[in-house]
Amino acid sequence: MKKIFFGIILLGFASIAFFSFKPKKQKRPNIVFIMSDDHAYQAISAYDKRLISTPNIDRIANDGMLFSNACVTNSICAPSRAVILTGKHSHLNGKIDNHFPFDTNNVTFPQLLQANGYQTAMFGKLHFGNNPKGFDEFKILPDQGNYYNPDFITKNEGKIKLTGYVTDLITDLTLKWLKEDRDEEKPFFLAYLHKAPHREWLPAERHYKEYLSKTFPEPETLFDNYEGRGSASKQAEMNLLTHMNWAGDSKITPENMKKLGIAESHPYDIKNYNWTVDRMNPEQRKAWDNAYGKMNEDFVKKYPSMTEKDKMKWRFQRYMQDYLGTIAAVDEGVGKVLDFLKANNLEENTIIVYTSDQGFYLGEHGWFDKRFIFDESFKTPLLVKWPNVIKPGSKNSQMVQNLDFAQTFLEAAGVKAPSDMQGESLVPIFKGKGKNFRDAAYYHYYEYPSVHMVKRHYGIVTENYKLVHFYYDVDEWELYDRKNDKNEMKNVYNDPKYSEIKKELHAKLAALRIKYKDSEELDKMYIDKYKELEKSGKIWR
Ligand code: SGN
Ligand code: CA
Protein backbone atom coordinates (compact mmCIF):
# COMPACT_ATOMS: atom_id res chain seq x y z
CA MET A 1 0.00 0.00 0.00
CA LYS A 2 2.83 2.33 1.09
CA LYS A 3 4.64 1.52 -2.19
CA ILE A 4 1.60 2.33 -4.29
CA PHE A 5 1.16 5.61 -2.40
CA PHE A 6 4.81 6.67 -3.06
CA GLY A 7 4.47 5.53 -6.64
CA ILE A 8 1.46 7.82 -7.16
CA ILE A 9 3.30 10.75 -5.55
CA LEU A 10 6.37 10.21 -7.74
CA LEU A 11 4.23 10.01 -10.84
CA GLY A 12 2.57 13.25 -9.78
CA PHE A 13 5.92 15.03 -9.48
CA ALA A 14 7.12 13.59 -12.75
CA SER A 15 4.07 14.80 -14.64
CA ILE A 16 4.31 18.29 -13.09
CA ALA A 17 7.94 18.38 -14.15
CA PHE A 18 7.05 17.10 -17.63
CA PHE A 19 4.24 19.56 -18.32
CA SER A 20 5.99 22.59 -16.87
CA PHE A 21 9.09 21.91 -19.00
CA LYS A 22 8.90 23.89 -22.19
CA PRO A 23 11.96 23.44 -24.38
CA LYS A 24 13.77 26.78 -24.05
CA LYS A 25 13.01 28.56 -27.31
CA GLN A 26 16.19 30.02 -28.70
CA LYS A 27 15.29 33.62 -29.47
CA ARG A 28 16.37 34.73 -32.90
CA PRO A 29 19.39 37.03 -32.64
CA ASN A 30 19.33 40.76 -33.25
CA ILE A 31 21.83 41.98 -35.81
CA VAL A 32 23.71 45.27 -35.60
CA PHE A 33 25.55 45.84 -38.85
CA ILE A 34 28.09 48.65 -38.54
CA MET A 35 29.79 49.75 -41.74
CA SER A 36 32.04 52.71 -42.36
CA ASP A 37 32.95 54.15 -45.72
CA ASP A 38 36.56 53.61 -46.85
CA HIS A 39 37.83 52.45 -43.45
CA ALA A 40 41.18 50.74 -44.09
CA TYR A 41 42.06 47.81 -41.82
CA GLN A 42 45.44 49.52 -41.34
CA ALA A 43 43.49 52.13 -39.34
CA ILE A 44 41.95 49.77 -36.77
CA SER A 45 44.21 48.91 -33.85
CA ALA A 46 42.90 45.33 -33.66
CA TYR A 47 44.70 44.89 -37.01
CA ASP A 48 47.56 47.33 -36.78
CA LYS A 49 48.63 49.56 -33.90
CA ARG A 50 50.95 51.86 -35.84
CA LEU A 51 48.49 54.55 -36.93
CA ILE A 52 45.61 54.85 -34.47
CA SER A 53 44.07 53.35 -31.39
CA THR A 54 40.41 52.30 -31.82
CA PRO A 55 39.58 50.77 -28.44
CA ASN A 56 35.85 50.53 -29.05
CA ILE A 57 35.96 48.90 -32.46
CA ASP A 58 38.58 46.54 -31.02
CA ARG A 59 36.09 45.47 -28.32
CA ILE A 60 34.14 43.62 -31.02
CA ALA A 61 37.20 41.53 -31.89
CA ASN A 62 38.17 41.01 -28.25
CA ASP A 63 34.71 39.65 -27.51
CA GLY A 64 34.38 37.92 -30.88
CA MET A 65 36.29 37.15 -34.06
CA LEU A 66 38.80 39.12 -36.13
CA PHE A 67 38.99 38.20 -39.83
CA SER A 68 42.43 38.85 -41.29
CA ASN A 69 41.57 38.02 -44.91
CA ALA A 70 38.08 39.40 -45.41
CA CYS A 71 37.78 40.89 -48.89
CA VAL A 72 35.37 42.46 -51.34
CA THR A 73 34.26 41.47 -54.84
CA ASN A 74 34.47 44.98 -56.34
CA SER A 75 36.28 47.64 -54.37
CA ILE A 76 34.02 50.64 -54.60
CA CYS A 77 31.23 52.07 -52.52
CA ALA A 78 27.78 51.56 -54.02
CA PRO A 79 28.64 48.27 -55.78
CA SER A 80 29.96 46.87 -52.50
CA ARG A 81 26.70 47.81 -50.79
CA ALA A 82 24.70 46.17 -53.58
CA VAL A 83 26.73 42.96 -53.22
CA ILE A 84 26.15 42.98 -49.46
CA LEU A 85 22.40 43.49 -49.76
CA THR A 86 21.76 41.04 -52.61
CA GLY A 87 24.38 38.36 -51.93
CA LYS A 88 25.21 38.47 -55.64
CA HIS A 89 28.25 39.60 -57.60
CA SER A 90 28.02 42.98 -59.36
CA HIS A 91 27.57 41.50 -62.84
CA LEU A 92 24.36 39.81 -61.66
CA ASN A 93 22.89 42.47 -59.38
CA GLY A 94 23.66 45.07 -62.07
CA LYS A 95 25.21 47.73 -59.77
CA ILE A 96 28.64 47.45 -61.34
CA ASP A 97 29.88 50.95 -60.46
CA ASN A 98 28.88 54.17 -58.70
CA HIS A 99 27.24 55.53 -61.87
CA PHE A 100 24.79 52.75 -62.76
CA PRO A 101 21.45 52.82 -60.96
CA PHE A 102 20.60 50.05 -58.48
CA ASP A 103 17.79 47.88 -59.82
CA THR A 104 15.26 47.77 -57.00
CA ASN A 105 13.78 44.54 -58.40
CA ASN A 106 16.74 42.82 -56.75
CA VAL A 107 15.74 40.89 -53.63
CA THR A 108 17.76 42.05 -50.62
CA PHE A 109 18.27 40.25 -47.33
CA PRO A 110 16.63 43.02 -45.20
CA GLN A 111 13.42 42.49 -47.20
CA LEU A 112 13.54 38.79 -46.30
CA LEU A 113 14.30 39.53 -42.64
CA GLN A 114 11.41 41.98 -42.50
CA ALA A 115 9.02 39.52 -44.14
CA ASN A 116 10.06 36.97 -41.52
CA GLY A 117 9.28 39.05 -38.47
CA TYR A 118 12.37 41.21 -38.01
CA GLN A 119 12.09 44.91 -37.26
CA THR A 120 14.50 46.73 -39.60
CA ALA A 121 16.13 50.16 -39.52
CA MET A 122 18.95 51.95 -41.36
CA PHE A 123 20.82 55.13 -40.41
CA GLY A 124 23.64 56.81 -42.32
CA LYS A 125 25.21 56.40 -45.73
CA LEU A 126 23.70 54.07 -48.33
CA HIS A 127 24.78 55.85 -51.53
CA PHE A 128 22.46 54.09 -53.95
CA GLY A 129 20.53 56.85 -55.61
CA ASN A 130 17.31 55.24 -54.36
CA ASN A 131 15.81 54.38 -51.00
CA PRO A 132 16.37 51.03 -49.32
CA LYS A 133 13.61 48.43 -49.52
CA GLY A 134 12.71 46.25 -46.56
CA PHE A 135 13.23 48.87 -43.86
CA ASP A 136 10.60 49.90 -41.31
CA GLU A 137 12.57 53.04 -40.69
CA PHE A 138 15.48 54.83 -42.36
CA LYS A 139 17.31 58.13 -42.29
CA ILE A 140 20.01 58.15 -44.94
CA LEU A 141 22.39 60.69 -46.41
CA PRO A 142 21.63 61.76 -49.96
CA ASP A 143 24.37 60.39 -52.24
CA GLN A 144 27.79 60.93 -50.54
CA GLY A 145 26.32 63.19 -47.85
CA ASN A 146 28.05 66.03 -45.99
CA TYR A 147 30.25 66.02 -42.90
CA TYR A 148 28.92 69.23 -41.38
CA ASN A 149 25.21 69.97 -40.95
CA PRO A 150 24.14 67.16 -43.27
CA ASP A 151 20.78 66.57 -44.94
CA PHE A 152 19.03 63.23 -44.46
CA ILE A 153 16.39 61.54 -46.59
CA THR A 154 13.91 60.01 -44.18
CA LYS A 155 11.20 57.43 -44.56
CA ASN A 156 8.51 59.45 -42.82
CA GLU A 157 9.59 63.09 -42.60
CA GLY A 158 10.87 63.88 -46.08
CA LYS A 159 14.25 65.57 -46.35
CA ILE A 160 15.63 67.05 -43.13
CA LYS A 161 18.75 69.06 -42.33
CA LEU A 162 20.43 68.45 -38.99
CA THR A 163 22.98 70.67 -37.29
CA GLY A 164 26.21 69.06 -36.17
CA TYR A 165 28.81 66.54 -37.22
CA VAL A 166 27.71 63.65 -39.40
CA THR A 167 29.24 60.78 -37.39
CA ASP A 168 27.70 62.03 -34.14
CA LEU A 169 24.33 62.60 -35.80
CA ILE A 170 24.22 59.09 -37.29
CA THR A 171 25.09 57.70 -33.86
CA ASP A 172 22.38 59.80 -32.19
CA LEU A 173 19.74 58.67 -34.70
CA THR A 174 20.76 55.05 -34.13
CA LEU A 175 20.62 55.36 -30.33
CA LYS A 176 17.30 57.19 -30.46
CA TRP A 177 15.80 54.37 -32.49
CA LEU A 178 17.13 51.77 -30.07
CA LYS A 179 15.74 53.72 -27.11
CA GLU A 180 12.39 54.83 -28.45
CA ASP A 181 11.31 52.91 -31.50
CA ARG A 182 12.40 49.36 -30.98
CA ASP A 183 9.62 46.80 -30.84
CA GLU A 184 10.59 44.56 -27.93
CA GLU A 185 8.46 41.73 -29.27
CA LYS A 186 10.59 41.35 -32.37
CA PRO A 187 14.23 40.68 -33.15
CA PHE A 188 15.82 43.55 -35.07
CA PHE A 189 18.23 44.22 -37.90
CA LEU A 190 19.89 47.60 -37.49
CA ALA A 191 22.23 49.09 -40.10
CA TYR A 192 24.46 51.80 -38.59
CA LEU A 193 26.38 53.17 -41.56
CA HIS A 194 29.05 55.85 -41.28
CA LYS A 195 30.10 58.30 -43.95
CA ALA A 196 33.51 58.68 -42.32
CA PRO A 197 36.34 58.24 -43.11
CA HIS A 198 35.40 59.05 -46.74
CA ARG A 199 37.11 61.86 -48.67
CA GLU A 200 37.41 64.84 -48.00
CA TRP A 201 38.24 63.56 -44.51
CA LEU A 202 36.73 66.25 -42.29
CA PRO A 203 37.16 65.51 -38.57
CA ALA A 204 34.90 66.62 -35.74
CA GLU A 205 35.93 69.96 -34.20
CA ARG A 206 36.87 68.27 -30.93
CA HIS A 207 39.53 66.24 -32.75
CA TYR A 208 41.19 69.04 -34.75
CA LYS A 209 43.76 69.94 -32.18
CA GLU A 210 44.95 66.47 -31.31
CA TYR A 211 45.15 65.14 -34.85
CA LEU A 212 46.59 68.23 -36.52
CA SER A 213 49.63 68.00 -34.29
CA LYS A 214 50.32 64.28 -34.78
CA THR A 215 52.88 62.62 -37.04
CA PHE A 216 52.51 59.13 -38.37
CA PRO A 217 54.89 56.42 -39.63
CA GLU A 218 55.20 56.34 -43.42
CA PRO A 219 54.45 53.17 -45.36
CA GLU A 220 57.45 51.42 -46.97
CA THR A 221 56.10 52.02 -50.47
CA LEU A 222 55.24 55.73 -50.20
CA PHE A 223 57.70 56.57 -52.97
CA ASP A 224 56.72 53.72 -55.29
CA ASN A 225 57.50 54.45 -58.95
CA TYR A 226 55.31 51.57 -60.23
CA GLU A 227 58.17 49.89 -62.07
CA GLY A 228 57.69 46.15 -62.38
CA ARG A 229 53.95 46.43 -62.89
CA GLY A 230 51.71 47.04 -65.88
CA SER A 231 50.14 50.21 -67.21
CA ALA A 232 47.18 50.19 -64.81
CA SER A 233 49.28 51.03 -61.75
CA LYS A 234 51.24 53.66 -63.67
CA GLN A 235 48.17 55.38 -65.06
CA ALA A 236 45.96 55.39 -61.99
CA GLU A 237 45.26 58.90 -60.73
CA MET A 238 45.43 58.47 -56.99
CA ASN A 239 48.90 59.59 -56.09
CA LEU A 240 49.17 61.69 -52.93
CA LEU A 241 51.57 64.16 -54.49
CA THR A 242 50.06 64.62 -57.91
CA HIS A 243 46.35 63.83 -57.64
CA MET A 244 45.28 64.81 -54.17
CA ASN A 245 43.50 68.16 -53.98
CA TRP A 246 45.50 70.94 -52.32
CA ALA A 247 42.47 72.85 -51.07
CA GLY A 248 39.71 70.20 -51.04
CA ASP A 249 41.84 67.50 -49.41
CA SER A 250 44.92 69.04 -47.81
CA LYS A 251 42.94 72.14 -46.73
CA ILE A 252 45.34 74.77 -48.04
CA THR A 253 43.20 77.86 -48.55
CA PRO A 254 42.57 78.97 -52.15
CA GLU A 255 44.26 82.30 -51.23
CA ASN A 256 47.41 80.53 -50.06
CA MET A 257 47.46 78.34 -53.17
CA LYS A 258 47.39 81.50 -55.24
CA LYS A 259 50.06 83.18 -53.16
CA LEU A 260 52.37 80.16 -53.48
CA GLY A 261 51.59 79.55 -57.16
CA ILE A 262 50.12 76.08 -56.53
CA ALA A 263 47.82 74.88 -59.31
CA GLU A 264 44.64 72.91 -58.68
CA SER A 265 45.16 69.13 -58.83
CA HIS A 266 41.69 68.65 -60.27
CA PRO A 267 38.92 70.96 -61.54
CA TYR A 268 37.07 70.25 -58.28
CA ASP A 269 40.01 71.05 -56.01
CA ILE A 270 38.93 74.53 -54.83
CA LYS A 271 35.23 73.87 -55.41
CA ASN A 272 35.32 71.01 -52.91
CA TYR A 273 37.03 73.23 -50.36
CA ASN A 274 34.43 75.96 -50.76
CA TRP A 275 31.55 73.49 -50.45
CA THR A 276 33.03 72.31 -47.16
CA VAL A 277 33.52 75.70 -45.55
CA ASP A 278 30.28 77.14 -46.92
CA ARG A 279 28.24 74.54 -45.04
CA MET A 280 29.61 75.54 -41.67
CA ASN A 281 27.80 77.85 -39.27
CA PRO A 282 29.83 80.78 -37.82
CA GLU A 283 30.80 78.83 -34.72
CA GLN A 284 32.01 75.81 -36.68
CA ARG A 285 33.84 78.11 -39.10
CA LYS A 286 35.65 79.77 -36.24
CA ALA A 287 36.92 76.48 -34.86
CA TRP A 288 37.96 75.44 -38.38
CA ASP A 289 39.80 78.69 -39.07
CA ASN A 290 41.67 78.42 -35.79
CA ALA A 291 42.92 74.93 -36.42
CA TYR A 292 43.45 74.93 -40.16
CA GLY A 293 44.58 78.56 -40.19
CA LYS A 294 47.56 77.68 -38.04
CA MET A 295 48.41 74.72 -40.30
CA ASN A 296 48.20 77.03 -43.34
CA GLU A 297 50.54 79.59 -41.75
CA ASP A 298 53.18 76.94 -41.11
CA PHE A 299 52.83 75.63 -44.63
CA VAL A 300 53.22 79.04 -46.28
CA LYS A 301 56.55 79.48 -44.47
CA LYS A 302 57.81 76.00 -45.34
CA TYR A 303 56.63 75.61 -48.92
CA PRO A 304 59.22 77.66 -50.86
CA SER A 305 62.11 75.51 -49.62
CA MET A 306 60.37 72.14 -49.92
CA THR A 307 61.68 69.48 -52.34
CA GLU A 308 59.29 67.12 -54.17
CA LYS A 309 60.17 64.49 -51.58
CA ASP A 310 59.36 66.87 -48.71
CA LYS A 311 56.04 67.67 -50.33
CA MET A 312 55.12 64.01 -50.58
CA LYS A 313 56.02 63.49 -46.94
CA TRP A 314 54.04 66.54 -45.92
CA ARG A 315 51.00 65.47 -47.93
CA PHE A 316 51.07 62.02 -46.35
CA GLN A 317 51.05 63.53 -42.83
CA ARG A 318 48.32 65.98 -43.73
CA TYR A 319 46.22 63.17 -45.20
CA MET A 320 46.65 60.92 -42.16
CA GLN A 321 45.84 63.71 -39.70
CA ASP A 322 42.43 64.25 -41.26
CA TYR A 323 41.62 60.68 -42.28
CA LEU A 324 42.48 59.28 -38.85
CA GLY A 325 40.88 62.27 -37.15
CA THR A 326 37.52 61.26 -38.64
CA ILE A 327 37.98 57.72 -37.32
CA ALA A 328 38.33 59.01 -33.76
CA ALA A 329 34.65 60.04 -33.87
CA VAL A 330 33.59 56.74 -35.45
CA ASP A 331 35.28 54.85 -32.65
CA GLU A 332 33.54 56.98 -30.02
CA GLY A 333 30.17 56.41 -31.72
CA VAL A 334 30.69 52.66 -31.87
CA GLY A 335 31.57 52.76 -28.15
CA LYS A 336 28.28 54.49 -27.35
CA VAL A 337 26.24 51.93 -29.28
CA LEU A 338 28.08 49.00 -27.67
CA ASP A 339 27.57 50.54 -24.22
CA PHE A 340 23.86 50.99 -24.87
CA LEU A 341 23.42 47.37 -25.95
CA LYS A 342 25.25 46.21 -22.84
CA ALA A 343 23.35 48.43 -20.44
CA ASN A 344 20.02 47.31 -21.88
CA ASN A 345 20.54 43.55 -21.80
CA LEU A 346 20.78 43.41 -25.54
CA GLU A 347 24.33 42.16 -25.64
CA GLU A 348 23.79 38.44 -25.14
CA ASN A 349 21.54 37.81 -28.11
CA THR A 350 22.95 40.30 -30.63
CA ILE A 351 25.35 39.74 -33.50
CA ILE A 352 27.53 42.81 -33.95
CA VAL A 353 29.47 43.26 -37.17
CA TYR A 354 32.00 45.99 -37.92
CA THR A 355 33.20 46.31 -41.49
CA SER A 356 33.89 48.79 -44.29
CA ASP A 357 32.54 48.92 -47.84
CA GLN A 358 36.13 48.22 -48.97
CA GLY A 359 39.73 48.78 -47.98
CA PHE A 360 41.70 51.96 -48.69
CA TYR A 361 45.23 53.10 -49.47
CA LEU A 362 46.89 55.03 -46.67
CA GLY A 363 49.92 56.07 -48.70
CA GLU A 364 50.95 52.54 -49.72
CA HIS A 365 52.28 52.78 -53.29
CA GLY A 366 51.98 56.53 -52.87
CA TRP A 367 48.19 56.18 -53.18
CA PHE A 368 44.89 57.17 -51.64
CA ASP A 369 41.49 55.72 -52.74
CA LYS A 370 40.81 52.05 -53.57
CA ARG A 371 39.40 50.20 -56.65
CA PHE A 372 42.35 47.84 -57.29
CA ILE A 373 42.42 44.11 -56.59
CA PHE A 374 45.67 44.76 -54.69
CA ASP A 375 45.54 44.03 -50.98
CA GLU A 376 44.97 47.42 -49.32
CA SER A 377 41.79 48.00 -51.29
CA PHE A 378 40.76 44.37 -51.88
CA LYS A 379 40.86 43.41 -48.21
CA THR A 380 38.42 44.99 -45.81
CA PRO A 381 38.13 44.98 -42.03
CA LEU A 382 35.72 42.48 -40.50
CA LEU A 383 35.12 42.02 -36.78
CA VAL A 384 32.16 40.00 -35.53
CA LYS A 385 30.81 39.40 -32.06
CA TRP A 386 28.12 36.84 -31.25
CA PRO A 387 28.12 35.78 -27.60
CA ASN A 388 27.75 32.03 -26.94
CA VAL A 389 28.44 31.26 -30.60
CA ILE A 390 31.80 32.90 -31.35
CA LYS A 391 34.60 32.21 -28.91
CA PRO A 392 35.92 35.55 -27.61
CA GLY A 393 39.31 36.57 -28.94
CA SER A 394 39.22 34.24 -31.95
CA LYS A 395 41.01 34.93 -35.20
CA ASN A 396 40.20 33.66 -38.65
CA SER A 397 42.23 33.85 -41.85
CA GLN A 398 39.73 32.44 -44.36
CA MET A 399 38.97 34.43 -47.52
CA VAL A 400 35.48 35.49 -46.52
CA GLN A 401 33.80 38.13 -48.67
CA ASN A 402 31.16 40.83 -48.40
CA LEU A 403 29.24 38.52 -50.75
CA ASP A 404 28.71 36.21 -47.75
CA PHE A 405 26.92 38.60 -45.41
CA ALA A 406 23.38 38.11 -46.79
CA GLN A 407 23.42 34.34 -46.39
CA THR A 408 25.13 34.65 -43.01
CA PHE A 409 22.44 36.91 -41.57
CA LEU A 410 19.64 34.87 -43.11
CA GLU A 411 21.00 31.66 -41.60
CA ALA A 412 21.46 33.31 -38.20
CA ALA A 413 17.83 34.45 -38.39
CA GLY A 414 16.60 31.02 -39.46
CA VAL A 415 15.43 32.30 -42.85
CA LYS A 416 16.07 30.25 -45.97
CA ALA A 417 18.31 32.10 -48.43
CA PRO A 418 17.21 32.31 -52.08
CA SER A 419 19.07 29.72 -54.15
CA ASP A 420 20.53 32.32 -56.52
CA MET A 421 22.57 34.07 -53.83
CA GLN A 422 26.25 33.46 -54.53
CA GLY A 423 27.99 33.71 -51.17
CA GLU A 424 28.40 31.27 -48.33
CA SER A 425 27.15 31.57 -44.81
CA LEU A 426 29.83 32.38 -42.25
CA VAL A 427 27.88 30.73 -39.42
CA PRO A 428 30.01 27.53 -39.52
CA ILE A 429 33.14 29.70 -39.24
CA PHE A 430 31.62 31.55 -36.27
CA LYS A 431 31.10 28.14 -34.63
CA GLY A 432 34.74 27.21 -35.17
CA LYS A 433 33.96 24.87 -38.09
CA GLY A 434 34.12 25.65 -41.80
CA LYS A 435 37.80 24.85 -42.23
CA ASN A 436 37.49 24.24 -45.97
CA PHE A 437 35.91 27.50 -46.83
CA ARG A 438 36.53 29.22 -50.18
CA ASP A 439 40.01 28.58 -51.60
CA ALA A 440 39.80 31.32 -54.24
CA ALA A 441 38.00 34.66 -54.38
CA TYR A 442 36.68 36.22 -57.58
CA TYR A 443 37.00 39.96 -58.13
CA HIS A 444 35.74 42.31 -60.86
CA TYR A 445 36.10 46.11 -61.01
CA TYR A 446 34.39 48.17 -63.74
CA GLU A 447 34.39 51.94 -63.17
CA TYR A 448 36.65 53.14 -66.02
CA PRO A 449 37.24 55.64 -67.53
CA SER A 450 36.21 57.63 -64.49
CA VAL A 451 37.58 59.45 -61.45
CA HIS A 452 41.02 58.01 -60.40
CA MET A 453 41.33 56.16 -63.74
CA VAL A 454 41.76 52.65 -62.45
CA LYS A 455 41.38 50.33 -65.41
CA ARG A 456 38.72 47.64 -65.61
CA HIS A 457 39.99 44.32 -64.32
CA TYR A 458 38.93 40.96 -63.03
CA GLY A 459 40.96 38.31 -61.29
CA ILE A 460 41.35 35.44 -58.92
CA VAL A 461 42.96 35.55 -55.49
CA THR A 462 44.16 32.45 -53.70
CA GLU A 463 46.12 32.18 -50.47
CA ASN A 464 49.42 32.37 -52.37
CA TYR A 465 48.73 34.10 -55.71
CA LYS A 466 46.80 36.76 -57.49
CA LEU A 467 46.11 36.59 -61.24
CA VAL A 468 44.60 39.71 -62.81
CA HIS A 469 43.38 40.67 -66.26
CA PHE A 470 43.22 44.38 -67.13
CA TYR A 471 41.01 45.03 -70.15
CA TYR A 472 38.98 47.69 -72.04
CA ASP A 473 41.78 49.83 -73.52
CA VAL A 474 44.53 47.29 -72.72
CA ASP A 475 44.84 43.51 -72.61
CA GLU A 476 47.35 42.93 -69.83
CA TRP A 477 47.79 40.08 -67.39
CA GLU A 478 49.54 40.40 -64.04
CA LEU A 479 50.52 37.70 -61.57
CA TYR A 480 51.65 38.30 -57.99
CA ASP A 481 53.31 35.94 -55.57
CA ARG A 482 51.54 36.91 -52.35
CA LYS A 483 53.86 34.98 -50.04
CA ASN A 484 57.17 36.28 -51.41
CA ASP A 485 56.09 39.74 -52.49
CA LYS A 486 53.86 41.07 -49.74
CA ASN A 487 53.71 44.58 -51.16
CA GLU A 488 52.76 43.35 -54.64
CA MET A 489 55.59 45.17 -56.40
CA LYS A 490 56.56 42.64 -59.03
CA ASN A 491 54.39 41.25 -61.79
CA VAL A 492 55.78 37.73 -62.42
CA TYR A 493 53.37 36.83 -65.20
CA ASN A 494 56.18 36.40 -67.73
CA ASP A 495 58.63 34.75 -65.36
CA PRO A 496 59.11 31.13 -66.58
CA LYS A 497 59.39 29.97 -62.96
CA TYR A 498 55.69 30.58 -62.61
CA SER A 499 54.50 28.99 -65.87
CA GLU A 500 52.89 25.97 -64.14
CA ILE A 501 51.12 28.01 -61.52
CA LYS A 502 50.04 30.46 -64.18
CA LYS A 503 48.37 27.65 -66.12
CA GLU A 504 46.59 26.39 -63.02
CA LEU A 505 45.36 29.85 -62.08
CA HIS A 506 44.07 30.54 -65.59
CA ALA A 507 42.03 27.34 -65.45
CA LYS A 508 40.76 28.18 -61.99
CA LEU A 509 39.81 31.68 -63.00
CA ALA A 510 37.91 30.41 -66.05
CA ALA A 511 36.05 27.96 -63.81
CA LEU A 512 35.18 30.72 -61.32
CA ARG A 513 33.85 32.92 -64.13
CA ILE A 514 31.55 30.06 -65.12
CA LYS A 515 30.56 29.26 -61.54
CA TYR A 516 29.56 32.85 -60.84
CA LYS A 517 28.00 33.33 -64.29
CA ASP A 518 30.36 36.08 -65.43
CA SER A 519 31.50 36.16 -69.05
CA GLU A 520 33.04 38.15 -71.89
CA GLU A 521 29.54 38.82 -73.20
CA LEU A 522 28.65 40.51 -69.91
CA ASP A 523 31.94 42.46 -69.92
CA LYS A 524 31.04 43.78 -73.37
CA MET A 525 27.45 44.51 -72.43
CA TYR A 526 28.56 46.61 -69.48
CA ILE A 527 31.07 48.48 -71.63
CA ASP A 528 28.31 49.33 -74.14
CA LYS A 529 25.99 50.48 -71.37
CA TYR A 530 28.77 52.58 -69.88
CA LYS A 531 29.39 54.27 -73.22
CA GLU A 532 25.72 55.21 -73.37
CA LEU A 533 25.98 56.76 -69.91
CA GLU A 534 29.09 58.65 -71.03
CA LYS A 535 27.20 60.06 -74.00
CA SER A 536 24.41 61.25 -71.74
CA GLY A 537 26.99 63.09 -69.61
CA LYS A 538 26.38 60.98 -66.48
CA ILE A 539 30.01 59.94 -65.92
CA TRP A 540 32.11 62.35 -63.90
CA ARG A 541 35.87 62.37 -63.73
C1 SGN B 1 34.22 60.88 -54.94
C2 SGN B 1 35.63 61.11 -54.47
C3 SGN B 1 36.55 60.05 -55.03
C4 SGN B 1 36.01 58.68 -54.68
C5 SGN B 1 34.59 58.55 -55.20
C6 SGN B 1 33.95 57.26 -54.89
N1 SGN B 1 36.09 62.41 -54.87
O1 SGN B 1 34.14 61.07 -56.33
O2 SGN B 1 37.83 60.22 -54.49
O3 SGN B 1 36.79 57.67 -55.23
O4 SGN B 1 33.82 59.58 -54.61
O5 SGN B 1 34.01 56.96 -53.52
S1 SGN B 1 35.64 63.70 -54.02
O6 SGN B 1 36.67 64.72 -54.23
O7 SGN B 1 34.37 64.12 -54.53
O8 SGN B 1 35.55 63.31 -52.62
S2 SGN B 1 32.99 55.92 -52.98
O9 SGN B 1 33.42 55.54 -51.63
O10 SGN B 1 31.72 56.57 -52.94
O11 SGN B 1 33.03 54.80 -53.90
CA1 CA C 1 33.57 53.57 -49.99
Side-chain angles (χ1 to χ4, degrees), residues 450-487:
S450 183
V451 60
H452 301 301
M453 297 301 277
V454 172
K455 290 187 192 296
R456 283 170 196 242
H457 58 291
Y458 60 83
I460 180 177
V461 183
T462 65
E463 193 184 347
N464 294 329
Y465 299 99
K466 202 173 271 186
L467 175 70
V468 197
H469 183 213
F470 290 93
Y471 67 99
Y472 183 84
D473 53 358
V474 288
D475 177 11
E476 291 178 19
W477 287 88
E478 298 187 14
L479 173 64
Y480 292 90
D481 180 336
R482 303 184 78 200
K483 283 273 128 70
N484 296 309
D485 176 21
K486 292 241 182 276
N487 290 333

Side-chain angles (χ1 to χ4, degrees), residues 145-160:
N146 286 100
Y147 274 100
Y148 301 121
N149 312 326
D151 297 324
F152 284 87
I153 297 167
T154 71
K155 182 155 184 180
N156 303 310
E157 303 152 48
K159 195 167 168 184
I160 55 172

Side-chain angles (χ1 to χ4, degrees), residues 204-205 207-210 212-213 251 284-298 318:
E205 272 167 53
H207 295 124
Y208 290 165
K209 197 162 174 249
E210 179 186 351
L212 278 164
S213 58
K251 285 89 180 181
Q284 292 166 330
R285 184 65 201 262
K286 203 169 151 211
W288 170 275
D289 283 343
N290 276 339
Y292 287 92
K294 169 87 179 53
M295 178 280 288
N296 265 271
E297 266 174 42
D298 295 344
R318 198 67 284 294

Side-chain angles (χ1 to χ4, degrees), residues 37-38 76-77 81 198 357-358 370:
D37 194 347
D38 293 355
I76 182 157
C77 195
R81 290 151 201 266
H198 193 271
D357 57 348
Q358 10 66 209
K370 54 259 178 178

Side-chain angles (χ1 to χ4, degrees), residues 30-32 118-119 177-178 182 186-190 346:
N30 307 308
I31 302 165
V32 177
Y118 268 70
Q119 191 188 8
W177 183 84
L178 277 168
R182 194 169 62 82
K186 288 181 171 182
F188 64 83
F189 173 78
L190 171 63
L346 284 167

Side-chain angles (χ1 to χ4, degrees), residues 151-176:
D151 297 324
F152 284 87
I153 297 167
T154 71
K155 182 155 184 180
N156 303 310
E157 303 152 48
K159 195 167 168 184
I160 55 172
K161 181 174 179 175
L162 299 180
T163 304
Y165 183 63
V166 71
T167 304
D168 302 342
L169 293 169
I170 293 170
T171 304
D172 292 347
L173 292 172
T174 302
L175 288 170
K176 186 166 181 288

